Amino acid sequence: MKTRLLHIVLAMYLCVIGCTPETRVVDTRNDPGKAVIVLDYRDFAETASEMVQSMIGSGALNKPGGGRYVMTTGKIQNDTMQRIDTDQLMAKIEEDLLNSGRVVMTAAVGGKGAPDQMVYDTRDIRDSDIGTEFDPNTLPGKGRLLMPELSTSGKIIQKVLTYSKKEQQVEYYFQLRVTNLANGLVLWQKEDLIVKRGSKKTVAW
Amino acid sequence: MKCITHILLVLGALVLVGCKEQGDPRIHVRKDIRSDNVVDNYVTRPVAEAFSALAGWGIDIKRAVVITNEAGYRELHVDGFNRSASVRPFRYRVEWLDANGFVIDSQATTWLRASAMSRSPFSIKAVAPTTNAVDFRMDTMKWE
């Protein structure tokens, strides 16, 4: 009886092990994986690519008289039902904008606060008693920070529709604009759309 | 066997005749709007579509031109034609190369979606991520 029970337990264990899909690293450069109803890394990569190509190609980032614009990322609103860190999109865009040779990004001012808090931490040290412990030549001087001239801002919108009895349609709108902070004029703007259809049983958040 | 070959040849000829564009090639008047031809006709259409699938017709690239746009970046324009009887969604990726022929690393180099209607022209545009780009290479894959 004991042996029989042992065999059953062993059989069940082997079945569970055999049914568990093995963990594998995804080839993100050439991923033939199926689409998912929520936003995945491929959607962010595609959107970033299209946004950057449009932004650069428009000539809006060409500074009259030459040189590079100082740019920051303003507020990117996540108006979807998903918990999205908008940096997933903006980090890609910022990287390519930096490499484009047309802009420099500032880490002193941003829509979520300073992207690099160390800019202010070092100044706090400078202004405190501990500041005397540092070589004064290595402390940041006053009036050295540059205000951004351009800002990128935008919104990600999600809309869920009933497509049929069994299917739903989920629409994702990526809206982005570049604003000249000196005069408030919008130099460039684009909306990118990703639409997915899938089972109603799949949760879109 | 000989009979089947003859039927296929006749159907092929009919389909080719049906594909002949008329009028201004820049204006594409689709089926159900324009006058019926052999390909669009309600009776012969399934045969034409079957032949299209049998012949393995798909996307043809007609032209690829690289220009320098007003912003100073290289810009690729690809013109193609979908010869098949069905819509062909596909993915493409453009990699830009510098003067040494090395790939320029960029977040913009990713698989992007494209689609071509049946028996219709399509265009793709890509902008280089830096002004160092000189040449390009483009790859395509099936859109699952």
Side-chain angles (χ1 to χ4, degrees):
Chain A
M1 183 66 188
K2 245 183 181 178
T3 320
R4 203 171 169 187
L5 191 71
L6 195 71
H7 282 161
I8 291 168
V9 170
L10 189 68
M12 284 172 71
Y13 174 75
L14 287 172
C15 186
V16 168
I17 293 291
C19 294
T20 309
E22 60 180 276
T23 304
R24 57 205 185 278
V25 176
V26 174
D27 175 8
T28 53
R29 275 187 62 79
N30 303 292
D31 185 1
K34 290 177 183 171
V36 290
I37 203 88
V38 293
L39 290 172
D40 71 355
Y41 79 94
R42 289 171 293 187
D43 301 319
F44 287 111
E46 275 182 39
T47 306
S49 175
E50 283 170 11
M51 290 290 183
V52 163
Q53 288 189 55
S54 170
M55 211 185 288
I56 289 173
S58 70
L61 303 181
N62 288 25
K63 194 172 186 178
R68 303 171 99 179
Y69 276 117
V70 179
M71 194 177 204
T72 188
T73 298
K75 195 173 181 184
I76 310 292
Q77 199 179 330
N78 172 23
D79 200 6
T80 72
M81 290 183 280
Q82 295 165 47
R83 258 191 82 181
I84 296 170
D85 187 340
T86 53
D87 285 349
Q88 278 179 278
L89 176 69
M90 293 313 296
K92 295 177 197 301
I93 293 175
E94 287 172 12
E95 183 184 321
D96 266 7
L97 290 180
L98 265 172
N99 293 336
S100 73
R102 293 288 189 253
V103 298
V104 281
M105 304 298 297
T106 175
V109 184
K112 293 179 183 173
D116 191 346
Q117 190 54 39
M118 279 307 289
V119 173
Y120 297 100
D121 288 350
T122 51
R123 280 159 177 78
D124 286 345
I125 291 170
R126 177 196 64 196
D127 298 336
S128 70
D129 292 340
I130 308 167
T132 56
E133 298 291 332
F134 289 86
D135 178 347
N137 294 321
T138 62
L139 290 171
K142 288 198 173 181
R144 298 282 304 279
L145 296 180
L146 295 180
M147 276 300 280
E149 299 164 284
L150 301 179
S151 165
T152 49
S153 60
K155 196 189 254 191
I156 307 172
I157 303 165
Q158 178 183 10
K159 201 173 175 184
V160 183
L161 312 165
T162 300
Y163 181 71
S164 66
K165 272 186 178 178
K166 291 181 177 175
E167 280 191 306
Q168 63 177 333
Q169 177 167 305
V170 187
E171 299 170 353
Y172 298 100
Y173 300 82
F174 292 83
Q175 298 171 340
L176 217 59
R177 77 179 67 83
V178 172
T179 310
N180 184 336
L181 294 174
N183 53 26
L185 298 178
V186 175
L187 301 180
W188 170 91
Q189 184 169 320
K190 186 172 168 62
E191 181 182 85
D192 200 24
L193 177 64
I194 293 176
V195 179
K196 303 185 180 201
R197 282 184 197 137
S199 168
K200 272 186 176 174
K201 290 175 185 170
T202 317
V203 183
W205 63 82
Chain B
M1 185 62 193
K2 206 175 177 182
C3 181
I4 293 170
T5 314
H6 282 158
I7 290 169
L8 284 175
L9 282 171
V10 169
L11 286 175
L14 286 173
V15 169
L16 287 173
V17 168
C19 287
K20 192 184 173 190
E21 292 285 338
Q22 289 181 346
D24 193 326
R26 291 172 294 182
I27 303 168
H28 185 207
V29 186
R30 295 192 178 280
K31 65 180 181 184
D32 299 333
I33 300 173
R34 70 176 176 221
S35 305
D36 267 6
N37 58 25
V38 177
V39 180
D40 304 331
N41 184 271
Y42 184 76
V43 179
T44 54
R45 189 167 55 204
V47 181
E49 286 180 358
F51 184 83
S52 164
L54 193 69
W57 284 346
I59 298 284
D60 285 345
I61 299 299
K62 300 289 182 193
R63 192 172 67 133
V65 181
V66 178
I67 58 158
T68 303
N69 67 14
E70 286 182 8
Y73 292 87
R74 303 290 272 173
E75 206 171 271
L76 166 68
H77 292 263
V78 177
D79 290 331
F81 194 87
N82 176 15
R83 293 176 65 202
S84 84
S86 56
V87 178
R88 278 289 164 100
F90 61 97
R91 288 183 184 272
Y92 69 95
R93 180 175 63 195
V94 178
E95 289 179 308
W96 289 94
L97 310 173
D98 63 18
N100 296 316
F102 298 141
V103 173
I104 297 170
D105 186 35
S106 165
Q107 291 283 353
T109 303
T110 189
W111 289 103
L112 296 173
R113 289 165 284 133
S115 178
M117 288 291 285
S118 63
R119 294 191 193 90
S120 301
F122 67 92
S123 297
I124 290 170
K125 180 184 151 185
V127 180
T130 71
T131 50
N132 299 332
V134 174
D135 206 355
F136 76 95
R137 66 180 179 218
M138 183 175 158
D139 198 0
T140 57
M141 76 170 175
K142 203 175 168 185
W143 179 354
E144 298 293 345

